[in-house]
Amino acid sequence: SFEAAVDPDLTAALESGDTRVTYYPVVILDSYGDYSARAANAMAVVLDTAGVDVALEFNRALFAQQPAESGPKPDDEFLIDLAVQSGAEESEIRDGIEDNVFSDWVKQGTDSAEQRGMQGTPTIFIDGEMLETGEAVAAIAELASPQAR
């Protein structure tokens, strides 16, 4: 729900050229299975092979189709299909997703985020300051406003 609430403002802030966003895929739902780790790995594979624009589209698609924590989790084929629908080339992503090639990177990112204070998602830092979700929504809206530019 956070992603849906801020995506238009975040997109506007990025398009203005005055804002830089860094996404850190993390694993916090590992007690519900390995889907969170596989999805984070898939995000890294798509970014590495298809670039930022396709990775952002893939990220949006992942959140739009995020499974329930307690429900069945999609398999690698789902992640591959979603990545292809987002603009990635299947031949460039399949092995990386199936072989979980960025698992160490995802683990290091998760460890780093936990050290910075992440206890759940979303965890938002603006100018190095961690914000509560409501504060982050307001701050992102402010970044997107023409007055902020």
Side-chain angles (χ1 to χ4, degrees):
S1 61
F2 177 82
E3 195 74 23
V6 301
D7 189 56
D9 288 335
L10 196 54
T11 298
L14 287 168
E15 288 174 352
S16 76
D18 297 328
T19 301
R20 183 183 72 150
V21 174
T22 305
Y23 286 89
Y24 294 97
V26 296
V27 177
I28 60 169
L29 298 175
D30 51 351
S31 63
Y32 295 99
D34 67 351
Y35 176 73
S36 182
R38 290 185 302 103
N41 173 73
M43 178 67 178
V45 170
V46 170
L47 177 62
D48 187 54
T49 60
V52 172
D53 291 338
V54 175
L56 285 173
E57 187 60 33
F58 182 58
N59 187 62
R60 286 182 185 108
L62 282 170
F63 278 106
Q65 298 185 45
Q66 184 173 357
E69 291 175 3
S70 61
K73 304 298 184 283
D75 59 12
D76 286 345
E77 202 60 43
F78 169 84
L79 293 169
I80 292 165
D81 289 346
L82 198 60
V84 169
Q85 291 170 20
S86 299
E89 293 291 329
E90 182 176 345
S91 62
E92 295 177 1
I93 60 160
R94 178 172 286 284
D95 289 346
I97 290 174
E98 291 178 340
D99 296 340
N100 211 19
V101 297
F102 283 98
S103 62
D104 289 341
W105 179 80
V106 170
K107 170 104 174 76
Q108 290 169 356
T110 301
D111 291 346
S112 176
E114 288 172 345
Q115 290 170 3
R116 291 184 70 195
M118 178 197 73
Q119 296 179 1
T121 61
T123 298
I124 306 296
F125 289 86
I126 296 181
D127 294 331
E129 179 184 350
M130 186 167 60
L131 302 176
E132 296 295 323
T133 302
E135 295 172 313
V137 170
I140 291 168
E142 176 66 24
L143 288 173
S145 73
Q147 300 88 329
R149 294 184 202 133

